[in-house]
Amino acid sequence: MFTATATATADADIALPSGEVDNRATYISFGLAYVLGHGAAAISKGASPLLALPGWVPMMLLGAGLAVGTVYATVAATRAQRGVSESDALSGKLLGASWLSAFTALFLAITGLSYTLDMPDLQPMLWPTGSGLIVGLIYVSEGAARRNLLHYGLGTWLALISTAALFLGTPGIFWVLAIAGGGGYAVATVLERHRLTARGKHALTHPK
């Protein structure tokens, strides 16, 4: 995972304008988390699993990828605040804080709903889809604030597929998240390089 991420971020020295964020490392880490974590859940859950895996394996793969991606996202966001105006820096900090508040609210919603309805089986369905929804909506907010159409589009895609997957039940949820979610991150990683190159050229030809 670390090798693939390093390759993606070190393959070109792209000069970015102040406030710009290179999301490739984050996309790769989250994409691998979706493919490996949700993929492992897809093949090991359901009435007729394709492969018998301990329940902690998918969670470990997903958690490791998401943890690495979160670190990269935090580092990128911190670097993006250098040289920007005070108001833009505040916007970045508020967007960063929204991750904590959003996932805290998701935890309370899922835990409370499962407890109230006395349906603990809801949690394995709601956590992966709810997490995808939250990440997608935060991406939409970040994309709008940073005027990043690619980030906005990826967030919209993740929010839609995560909620639509609820119609499929288990293990269909995990197949959708692994294939459509991981595929979305893969496409975004490729397009991000082109976006950064264009932004770097624009900054060179139109200096402030």
Side-chain angles (χ1 to χ4, degrees):
M1 180 181 296
F2 292 100
T3 302
T5 304
T7 301
T9 54
D11 58 353
D13 186 13
I14 301 174
L16 298 178
S18 298
E20 192 58 76
V21 177
D22 183 350
N23 294 301
R24 287 175 293 171
T26 305
Y27 289 166
I28 289 176
S29 299
F30 280 178
L32 287 175
Y34 269 59
V35 172
L36 298 178
H38 292 314
I43 64 176
S44 62
K45 294 184 181 296
S48 301
L50 300 177
L51 183 65
L53 291 176
W56 56 268
V57 172
M59 292 300 299
M60 182 194 69
L61 293 172
L62 180 65
L66 294 181
V68 173
T70 301
V71 171
Y72 278 119
T74 302
V75 171
T78 301
R79 290 176 178 173
Q81 294 179 23
R82 299 173 183 174
V84 301
S85 65
E86 184 176 345
S87 60
D88 287 339
L90 177 60
S91 296
K93 292 177 181 178
L94 292 176
L95 285 171
S98 67
W99 286 86
L100 177 60
S101 57
F103 274 96
T104 300
L106 179 65
F107 168 79
L108 294 174
I110 293 176
T111 305
L113 186 62
S114 301
Y115 175 79
T116 302
L117 298 178
D118 193 22
M119 297 176 64
D121 291 341
L122 280 177
Q123 296 208 29
M125 294 179 59
L126 294 181
W127 267 113
T129 54
S131 298
L133 173 62
I134 291 298
V135 171
L137 292 179
I138 293 177
Y139 278 6
V140 167
S141 299
E142 290 178 342
R146 295 168 180 161
R147 296 176 291 280
N148 184 334
L149 293 178
L150 175 59
H151 206 61
Y152 185 97
L154 176 60
T156 302
W157 175 251
L158 292 174
L160 291 176
I161 65 162
S162 297
T163 48
L166 284 168
F167 287 96
L168 301 178
T170 304
I173 285 176
F174 300 106
W175 283 115
V176 170
L177 293 175
I179 297 173
Y185 275 113
V187 172
T189 301
V190 175
L191 295 179
E192 178 74 346
R193 172 171 173 75
H194 296 291
R195 186 188 72 84
L196 294 174
T197 301
R199 291 288 292 154
K201 291 180 179 179
H202 184 271
L204 290 175
T205 56
H206 299 82
K208 294 181 179 180

